Structure formats: C-alpha cells, structure tokens
C-alpha cells in the first residue's frame, strides 16, 4: 500500500473543490487550478476531507496513487498559500532586469537573454536574487529549472545561476610548481 496515497487531504473552508468528468478543479484565495485525473484513480470528497483510492493493486496504479495524492495536495496548498522559489545570480557583470512579463539576463554571453515568464508565475528581483512565485508547483519548478539552465553554476568559481539553498561543490584549480 502507498503510505502517501492513503493519507487524507484536509480541505479548509476557504477552498472549493469540484470533481466532474475526471477533472478536478480547486478554487481558493490565490486562484484556480484544474487537472485531469487518471481513470485508474478514484477520488472521494466527504465533509472537507478528500481521499484518493485505487481499484487494482498492480505496480502502475500504486505509483499513480501516491503521485495523484501528492499533486492534489500541492494544488490545495497552492491555491491557499502559494509557492515561492528563489534563484541567485553569481558572477561579475551577471544581472537580471524585470521588463514587464519578461526577465532580461546578462550572463556573460555576447548577447542578453530575454526570458518570458509563463502565465501564472510572477517574479521579483532584488539585486542578485530572483524570487519566483505562483500557485502551480509544477510550473514554478519548471520555470526555475529553465532559468537555472541558462547558465548553470560552474565548479571553480561558482559563477552562474543557482538556487539560493543550493550548495556548489567546488573544485581546486591548477596548482603552480
């Protein structure tokens, strides 16, 4: 049995959940999220508690069970509290500027990089820290990883874009004789 899948999801009074035709819609203070639920997974909504169950116990449906429960819990948390992800830019001359719904990066290339923010993700830039926020955890993580991939941190000086909580394993450079 899935330890994650069998846990119930508590729903506060501020959140409205509708489940029709295999589409789950979660509405809250921050916005609305909807997602199609796999046919092998069943949802039961009783008295502000949502439980996820499956009919067969094969390997595929057991993995879908826990994953579906985690996705729904993230949707409930997203519409009530939201999610944040912070990135840090390290390097001389490396910077980012917010221009409308785009972020313009200067990351040591011969050209600047314009990165359009997806719908539902907002950014705030303070010196060399980019703080992304949104209600969809999947989209937020994907956006942060795409920004990080523009110039990943290198192991010698640590220059590049990294997550704030990330620790870069440093390498020793060449030594003179």
């Amino acid at each position: 049995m899935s330890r994650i899948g069998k846990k119930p999801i508590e729903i506060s009074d501020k959140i409205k959940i509708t489940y029709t035709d295999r589409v789950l819609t979660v509405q809250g203070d921050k916005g609305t999220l909807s997602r199609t639920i796999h046919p092998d997974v069943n949802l039961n909504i009783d008295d502000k508690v949502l439980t996820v169950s499956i009919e067969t116990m094969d390997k595929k449906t057991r993995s879908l069970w826990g994953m579906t429960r985690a996705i729904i819990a993230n949707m409930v948390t997203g519409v009530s509290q939201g999610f944040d992800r912070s990135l840090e830019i390290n390097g001389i001359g490396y910077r980012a500027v917010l221009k409308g719904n785009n972020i313009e990066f200067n990351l040591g290339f011969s050209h600047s990089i314009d990165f359009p923010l997806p719908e539902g993700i907002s950014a705030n830039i303070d010196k060399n820290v980019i703080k992304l926020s949104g209600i969809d955890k999947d989209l937020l993580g994907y956006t942060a990883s795409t920004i990080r991939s523009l110039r990943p941190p290198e192991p010698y000086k640590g220059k590049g874009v990294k997550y704030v909580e990330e620790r870069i394993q440093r390498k020793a450079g060449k030594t003179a004789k």
Side-chain angles (χ1 to χ4, degrees), residues 32-48:
T32 303
L33 292 174
S34 60
R35 186 170 210 113
T36 305
I37 304 299
H38 195 275
D40 292 341
V41 179
N42 299 321
L43 300 181
N44 302 320
I45 304 169
D46 311 322
D47 197 35
K48 298 295 180 182

Side-chain angles (χ1 to χ4, degrees), residues 23-162:
V23 175
L24 179 73
T25 304
V26 182
Q27 295 176 340
D29 295 337
K30 302 245 179 200
T32 303
L33 292 174
S34 60
R35 186 170 210 113
T36 305
I37 304 299
H38 195 275
D40 292 341
V41 179
N42 299 321
L43 300 181
N44 302 320
I45 304 169
D46 311 322
D47 197 35
K48 298 295 180 182
V49 174
L50 188 140
T51 54
V52 181
S53 61
I54 56 174
E55 293 181 10
T56 60
M57 279 295 205
D58 60 335
K59 186 172 182 168
K60 181 184 174 195
T61 49
R62 280 197 322 262
S63 61
L64 284 171
W65 187 16
M67 183 186 71
T68 303
R69 192 260 177 213
I71 288 171
I72 294 169
N74 286 338
M75 289 171 67
V76 170
T77 304
V79 297
S80 62
Q81 300 170 3
F83 293 103
D84 294 328
R85 192 71 196 209
S86 296
L87 296 140
E88 184 179 0
I89 301 173
N90 291 325
I92 297 174
Y94 290 14
R95 67 173 198 256
V97 178
L98 188 63
K99 292 186 176 179
N101 203 24
N102 292 336
I103 301 176
E104 182 181 308
F105 290 98
N106 289 325
L107 298 174
F109 299 116
S110 62
H111 59 284
S112 62
I113 300 169
D114 279 336
F115 183 81
L117 289 172
E119 187 73 29
I121 302 295
S122 61
N124 185 12
I125 299 174
D126 183 35
K127 293 184 182 178
N128 64 340
V129 176
I130 303 167
K131 185 175 181 182
L132 301 173
S133 59
I135 61 173
D136 190 356
K137 190 173 185 179
D138 294 338
L139 183 61
L140 183 69
Y142 178 74
T143 304
S145 67
T146 306
I147 290 173
R148 185 186 182 276
S149 70
L150 296 175
R151 181 70 120 180
E154 51 96 11
Y156 297 101
K157 293 184 180 178
K159 293 166 57 171
V161 181
K162 69 178 191 81

